[in-house]
Every structure is written in structure tokens, then in C-alpha cells.
Amino acid sequence: MSTPTIAETTTPPRTRWAAIIWGLLFAAIATTALWMIADDDRRDAVADGLMALTPTTIVTILLLTVGVLLLVGGAAGLIRRAQRKLVAATPLPAPEVPAPLAE
């Protein structure tokens, strides 16, 4: 006599939203940096702008950068939380139990 086996139901893999969001942010930064250094005029304008920064402006830019990083991290956390709530609220289908084999 054989015993019936329970087929495990698997959930599809979760989308890693944090990686997508951070990847988009870093891609945007890299694209902007490449665009700025691709042309001599833009490169000179960036160099002139960096040389004209005051300490107050540098501190302001650093604070804004930290704020953007926290904003992106918070957005990724909120999306992850919503994804987990959605998975928890979705009922799992009942596992299929095969019928016993005829002897």
C-alpha cells in the first residue's frame, strides 16, 4: 500500500524592488555624469561650478544628498512592505492530494 504524497505549492519568486529602485538611481547618476563629461563645454562648466561652491552650498548639497538617499530607501521599504502585505492577504491554493493508487 502506498501513501499519498502532498504536492507542495510554491509561490512565484518575489520581485526585488529595492534592487530595481537603487539600480535606476545609480543608472540615472551614471548617465548624468557621462553626459556632463562627454562634451568639453559641459566639462568646463561643471569645473567652473565646482570651483565656485561655497562651504554653505557644499553642506546644503550634502544634506540634500542624504535626504534623497533616505527617500529612496524609504520608498524601497514601503514597496517591500506593500508586497509582503499583498502576499499575506492572498490565500494560498489548497495543495493537491493525488488519489490513492489502485491496488
Side-chain angles (χ1 to χ4, degrees), residues 10-74:
T10 58
T11 58
R14 290 186 337 199
T15 302
R16 302 294 181 174
W17 287 107
I20 293 170
I21 292 170
W22 285 106
L24 287 174
L25 176 70
F26 291 140
I29 291 170
T31 303
T32 304
L34 286 173
W35 179 80
M36 285 183 178
I37 65 172
D39 186 31
D40 287 336
D41 294 334
R42 286 191 296 253
R43 192 171 33 240
D44 291 339
V46 169
D48 291 340
L50 288 175
M51 296 306 280
L53 290 177
T54 63
T56 305
T57 307
I58 293 171
V59 170
T60 303
I61 290 172
L62 288 174
L63 288 174
L64 286 172
T65 303
V66 169
V68 167
L69 293 176
L70 288 173
L71 180 69
V72 170

Side-chain angles (χ1 to χ4, degrees), residues 12 22 25 38 47 53 66 69 75 78-81 87-88 91 97 100 102:
W22 285 106
L25 176 70
L53 290 177
V66 169
L69 293 176
L78 286 173
I79 290 173
R80 182 177 57 232
R81 182 177 178 187
V87 168
V97 179

